[in-house]
Amino acid sequence: MSTAPEFNAPQEEYRTTQERVYYQVRDAILRGKFLPGHAITIRGLAADLDCSPMPVREALRRLTSERALELSDTRRVTVPTMTPEKLAEICAARVALECQAAEQALPFVGPQELEQLRKLDQRVTAALADKDIEEYVTANLEFHFTLYRLGRPHIILSLIESLWLQTAPLQHLVFQRFGVQELPDRHQDLIEAIASGDAALVRTAVRQDIEEGLGSISAEELL
């Protein structure tokens, strides 16, 4: 990319610069600010984030351990590219974990939480209609994680976040190439399933949403 990525301001006060930098870089990856194959330099990130190289180095180390970034034999940090086999494995893992997270959240969804999910889905729908990639990515992420966090997950949520970090750059690249207007939106089905309290329907809606979303990426679109 020819220009520096846009980093969101921290949503909360972090105890250390190291923690702030980690979450800002992580957020940028989730929101598609880095694309597959993009090289990341410690010096460049430090300048963008107005900090010393040390917290950037630690953030990249953590994100590499989470598979959001990869370290080449030449010690170069890049956003990983994707293979059909890896994408299929990530899709299967996301289905298993996110179905569990959504079902776990089900007992904690009351009228207020349901209304919040509906409003987030309205943002997703409007973004699709407007062909607004940035808003679609943001609203879709917030919809899913707002639901999953209701179930007070611990281990599951961190695993889901790691999987999203691995696919977000690829999905954003595909959106840039082909737009978002043809993307499937199973959120309404999921909201109706949640409202009915039917765990089986919730799992079905989550599975279809993930499989249709990642499944829409063809082998030719992988780098």
Side-chain angles (χ1 to χ4, degrees), residues 94-198:
R94 278 192 55 187
V95 167
L97 292 170
E98 293 181 46
C99 283
Q100 174 63 31
E103 183 175 350
Q104 190 171 316
L106 194 55
F108 300 97
V109 180
Q112 183 176 343
E113 290 77 18
L114 201 58
E115 181 60 24
Q116 183 182 15
L117 291 172
R118 287 196 176 102
K119 288 180 178 178
L120 287 170
D121 183 47
Q122 288 169 5
R123 284 178 54 193
V124 172
T125 301
L128 289 172
D130 295 339
K131 304 178 183 179
D132 186 335
I133 296 173
E134 298 291 336
E135 172 63 7
Y136 170 78
V137 169
T138 298
N140 184 59
L141 185 151
E142 290 183 10
F143 176 89
H144 282 273
F145 283 92
T146 294
L147 172 61
Y148 302 152
R149 288 191 184 102
L150 291 174
R152 284 79 164 170
H154 298 289
I155 297 172
I156 290 178
L157 190 63
S158 64
L159 293 172
I160 293 171
E161 288 173 341
S162 175
L163 294 171
W164 276 61
L165 281 166
Q166 293 178 62
T167 56
L170 171 66
Q171 287 183 295
H172 200 80
L173 180 62
V174 173
F175 299 158
Q176 285 189 359
R177 288 177 176 173
F178 303 103
V180 295
Q181 62 272 19
E182 300 300 326
L183 286 173
D185 181 10
R186 289 285 182 178
H187 292 173
Q188 190 57 48
D189 293 343
L190 177 54
I191 289 172
E192 291 176 4
I194 292 170
S196 72
D198 190 319

